[in-house]
Amino acid sequence: MTEDTERVPTRLEVPLADTWDLTTLFETDATWEASFGVWSDELVQFAQYRGRLGESAAVLKNYLEFETEYERKGDRLGTFAFLKETEDLANPIYQGMKARYLGIAALANEASSFSRPELLELPPEKLADFLADPKLADYKLMLERVVRYRPHTLTEKEERLLALQLESSQTPREVFGQLTNADMKFGTLTFDGRTLELSHATYASCLEKPNRELRKAAFHQYYAEYADHANTLATTFAGSVKQDIYNARVRNYPSALEAALFPDQVPISVYDNLITAVRANLPAVHKYYAVRQRAMKLPELHFCDTYVPILTEFRKVTSWPDAVELVLESLKPLGTNYTETLAAGLRGRWCDRYENKGKRSGAFSSGCYDSDPFILMNYKSDVLDDVFTLTHEAGHSMHTHFSKEQPYQYANYTIFVAEVASTFNEQLLTRTLMERASTDRERAYYLNKEIDSMRATIVRQTMFAEFEKIVHERSEANEPLTLQTLRDEYRKLLEVYLGPGMTLDEEQSLECLRIPHFYGAFYVYKYATGLAAAIALSQKVLKGGPDDLAAYLNFLCGGSSRDPLDLLRAAGVDLATPEPVDAALKHFGDLVDELDGLLK
Ligand SMILES: [Zn+2]
């Protein structure tokens, strides 16, 4: 029996032991309701602080304690409603619970919105006194992070004007979403006697199929639809870039890039170093394409030939208990505290393991300060990627677990460091799988997988990051971003990053019009820096001594108690230098050489 024909159980049919235990959050729906009622009633208390934050350090402390406690209770309520809803998206009880939670959360947001402007308007001397006051020591960093924004905060009247146009400023992103998800139709493809509806998801899976004709057909048909909408997409994207520039200018940032890097306190040099280091190592990427072309015996290598595993016949079946065993084994270098805590969580009820009718697809790690760090999966034993997903999400969950060493207000870590903890674990899993491989072909399969994931996460995302930088700079220099400009700039990058061995299809440059992340500019570079940092740190832990391990575990306990670059620097990786990215790509080059040898 294959997975396709197996009947998917309903939520009620799933054995309890295979599900997460949310009763640790709220025993029953009724206890949630009672707690929600109290929380909703407390909303009015925000008003008593309005206009009073500058009165004294004691008043400010009372307010911050109240606000923090209110948020913490809200997290707990929201986590329960949100996780319950994902168990069965068709269940109206939890849809309603989530909607009611979101309603009060929005009101709380509004009720507390006075605090930031009030803090920013405090006279500098008074603020300095507050920051030095021991009463406010627990909130000092939090206050400093608000005050950082002073040079980028406008007068009340101006802020009101900006707030009034916030919704309409989202139009480019929404047009893009509606056009690409609702209006554009990609038609159907027929192969092996089956008809397949082409969509974003099936396009991606077609590129991983061994059948080359199918890959080619999917590629051309998918991009034909983009070609038909290319002018609209280019105009929409140019609008989004202009909006980024407008937002940066009105808030006194020197550029859109600097505005985007400001919240994480990341200097532009980190962004530029990334691009420089990746470009310097492109020969290893180009060599990989040559290895791939030779191994696949292709006269020409096209983009649509770069996602299918080179060794397509490899299969591995891993049951859930075996996957847990394998993951724990691979994480042994992190020490017993890490592995025993994770073992208890995974063998206990942190993870909602298997698919059921109506369950949210994919996987995530989610929890709050007062809950276990839960994991949602749709685990399938014949999908090796699911073992990687398990260790990835376990990495997030352990990061969440350890970050509770911080007080609530500093426990939430930022995206910039989040993907380090998860991809670090993937590095260790790859290493264990390669060590245990019983044949050269199996080892080559894992090597290929690792190389492809580094290529997708470090090289490709850096190309995206460079494109974002170029188009924003051109627009900042008042040059029009036409369809032709966008395609020309993108094609130049494709030629550099994919290298002379790749045969570029004419449509390939339309790719720049279909990346959703471009509508939240300067975000994707974090994928590249995150994986590079994870590779550097995993090498340190594997090859280094107890101090290196202690530094990494300390990083996992850091939450947001320091800025992201400082947290990573203390763990042993300095992203302000090109060295970590360079080292990661040297490692990439070594993997390519080994794969080349094994495939010869
Ligand atoms: Zn992740």
Side-chain angles (χ1 to χ4, degrees):
M1 195 163 56
T2 68
E3 295 281 354
D4 288 345
T5 55
E6 248 171 49
R7 199 183 69 86
V8 177
T10 63
R11 183 71 190 173
L12 284 172
E13 290 166 344
V14 180
L16 224 50
D18 290 335
T19 64
W20 50 30
D21 185 7
L22 301 185
T23 62
T24 54
L25 268 170
F26 291 98
E27 192 66 47
T28 59
D29 290 1
T31 54
W32 186 91
E33 291 294 349
S35 186
F36 179 75
V38 173
W39 186 64
S40 309
D41 291 344
E42 282 174 3
L43 188 64
V44 291
Q45 293 181 38
F46 278 103
Q48 72 197 45
Y49 293 99
R50 182 186 280 270
R52 294 185 50 214
L53 300 188
E55 256 174 41
S56 68
V59 171
L60 181 55
K61 182 181 183 225
N62 284 345
Y63 173 72
L64 292 171
E65 275 177 351
F66 167 71
E67 186 195 64
T68 307
E69 198 47 40
Y70 193 85
E71 253 179 49
R72 182 169 169 174
K73 286 182 200 161
D75 279 354
R76 186 173 184 144
L77 289 159
T79 301
F80 183 81
F82 170 76
L83 295 180
K84 273 301 208 188
E85 195 210 19
T86 62
E87 292 177 354
D88 182 356
L89 297 170
N91 187 329
I93 294 176
Y94 299 112
Q95 282 173 10
M97 209 180 232
K98 189 175 111 180
R100 281 189 296 142
Y101 160 76
L102 288 174
I104 300 293
L107 290 178
N109 219 356
E110 216 178 296
S112 64
S113 65
F114 68 90
S115 69
R116 257 180 97 86
E118 250 187 71
L119 287 168
L120 287 165
E121 274 163 28
L122 290 179
E125 319 78 60
K126 184 170 237 175
L127 192 74
D129 286 350
F130 282 177
L131 289 174
D133 197 311
K135 277 200 266 325
L136 287 165
D138 289 348
Y139 300 98
K140 184 167 185 267
L141 179 61
M142 202 174 146
L143 291 169
E144 282 168 347
R145 284 182 175 150
V146 173
V147 176
R148 276 185 76 225
Y149 283 86
R150 211 203 291 260
H152 307 294
T153 305
L154 311 180
T155 64
E156 203 184 329
K157 218 169 162 185
E158 289 167 330
E159 286 290 340
R160 191 178 123 78
L161 291 177
L162 282 180
L164 284 172
Q165 67 88 240
L166 191 65
E167 208 181 336
S168 63
S169 73
Q170 298 301 309
T171 304
R173 180 201 290 263
E174 287 185 5
V175 170
F176 174 80
Q178 290 297 330
L179 181 64
T180 57
N181 293 315
D183 290 345
M184 284 167 66
K185 300 279 183 284
F186 301 94
T188 57
L189 277 171
T190 306
F191 77 107
D192 293 348
R194 283 168 58 198
T195 301
L196 177 105
E197 182 161 343
L198 195 59
S199 65
H200 300 300
T202 56
Y203 165 69
S205 69
C206 282
L207 288 195
E208 293 173 12
K209 295 276 194 296
N211 181 335
R212 190 173 194 219
E213 288 314 307
L214 172 65
R215 296 200 304 266
K216 266 178 140 170
F219 176 86
H220 291 293
Q221 191 167 318
Y222 187 67
Y223 276 107
E225 183 68 2
Y226 279 94
D228 281 350
H229 297 84
N231 287 296
T232 307
L233 284 161
T235 308
T236 308
F237 179 48
S240 175
V241 171
K242 280 182 204 145
Q243 186 68 47
D244 296 335
I245 294 169
Y246 170 81
N247 289 340
R249 283 187 180 156
V250 292
R251 291 201 176 279
N252 309 314
Y253 292 99
S255 66
L257 176 58
E258 282 183 66
L261 301 184
F262 186 81
D264 285 323
Q265 295 235 54
V266 170
I268 283 201
S269 59
V270 169
Y271 200 89
D272 290 338
N273 281 338
L274 170 70
I275 294 171
T276 310
V278 170
R279 276 181 166 256
N281 285 282
L282 286 174
V285 180
H286 302 162
K287 177 174 178 184
Y288 167 61
Y289 288 129
V291 170
R292 177 176 263 279
Q293 182 177 1
R294 196 193 64 226
M296 291 171 76
K297 299 188 176 69
L298 296 172
E300 276 184 349
L301 189 72
H302 289 251
F303 182 80
C304 65
D305 301 318
T306 59
Y307 285 89
V308 53
I310 296 174
L311 298 152
T312 50
E313 77 284 7
F314 180 78
R315 286 284 172 274
K316 190 175 171 73
V317 175
T318 316
S319 68
W320 166 267
D322 288 349
V324 171
E325 191 69 47
L326 179 60
V327 164
L328 292 170
E329 179 68 31
S330 72
L331 296 174
K332 267 191 176 158
L334 289 177
T336 47
N337 183 27
Y338 190 105
T339 51
E340 282 172 10
T341 307
L342 181 60
L346 292 179
R347 292 188 179 129
R349 293 182 58 201
W350 278 8
C351 185
D352 209 79
R353 300 166 193 178
Y354 305 116
E355 189 183 9
N356 63 251
K357 273 207 187 82
K359 182 170 163 177
R360 216 194 94 153
S361 62
F364 62 75
S365 162
S366 175
C368 63
Y369 203 69
D370 299 298
S371 78
D372 288 328
F374 295 109
I375 296 172
L376 176 137
M377 283 200 71
N378 287 273
Y379 187 84
K380 284 197 164 56
S381 57
D382 61 344
V383 181
L384 178 62
D385 276 343
D386 283 1
V387 186
F388 279 87
T389 304
L390 173 61
T391 202
H392 180 106
E393 301 307 337
H396 287 312
S397 285
M398 291 303 291
H399 193 186
T400 307
H401 170 80
F402 283 129
S403 285
K404 285 187 213 164
E405 293 210 356
Q406 301 297 329
Y408 171 82
Q409 61 271 33
Y410 302 128
N412 271 343
Y413 46 80
T414 63
I415 298 284
F416 196 93
V417 292
E419 292 307 321
V420 176
S422 54
T423 53
F424 180 104
N425 285 11
E426 290 189 63
Q427 287 298 310
L428 295 198
L429 178 59
T430 297
R431 173 178 169 268
T432 299
L433 286 170
M434 293 219 287
E435 276 172 6
R436 289 182 171 189
S438 48
T439 63
D440 278 356
R441 289 189 79 73
E442 185 179 352
R443 191 172 164 88
Y445 180 88
Y446 300 137
L447 272 168
N448 179 201
K449 184 172 164 54
E450 174 64 15
I451 289 167
D452 278 339
S453 116
M454 287 182 72
R455 177 180 61 114
T457 309
I458 300 184
V459 184
R460 186 167 154 85
Q461 302 299 330
T462 300
M463 180 181 75
F464 288 167
E466 188 171 355
F467 178 70
E468 291 185 280
K469 184 168 189 252
I470 292 169
V471 297
H472 281 81
E473 280 173 356
R474 290 195 65 154
S475 191
E476 276 164 345
N478 294 322
E479 292 175 42
L481 290 183
T482 63
L483 173 60
Q484 200 56 45
T485 314
L486 294 171
R487 291 191 71 171
D488 288 349
E489 288 296 349
Y490 197 72
R491 184 162 176 113
K492 277 192 252 167
L493 290 174
L494 288 169
E495 282 167 1
V496 172
Y497 280 79
L498 299 177
M502 182 87 64
T503 309
L504 277 182
D505 294 280
E506 182 53 33
E507 309 98 297
Q508 187 66 44
S509 62
L510 290 168
E511 188 177 61
C512 68
L513 301 178
R514 73 163 190 88
I515 309 299
H517 269 311
F518 288 167
Y519 288 81
F522 305 117
Y523 181 93
V524 298
Y525 83 99
K526 297 180 198 183
Y527 291 124
T529 52
L531 180 55
I535 291 170
L537 288 170
S538 63
Q539 300 284 336
K540 265 187 194 298
V541 168
L542 291 172
K543 294 175 185 161
D547 288 353
D548 294 292
L549 175 60
Y552 180 67
L553 293 174
N554 201 38
F555 160 77
L556 292 182
C557 300
S560 57
S561 60
R562 301 166 80 174
D563 287 319
L565 287 186
D566 292 334
L567 285 167
L568 286 167
R569 204 172 281 129
V573 172
D574 190 355
L575 286 171
T577 73
E579 201 241 305
V581 178
D582 195 57
L585 290 163
K586 291 277 177 307
H587 175 62
F588 177 91
D590 293 344
L591 299 179
V592 171
D593 289 343
E594 191 187 346
L595 180 68
D596 188 23
L598 287 177
L599 291 175
K600 259 179 183 153

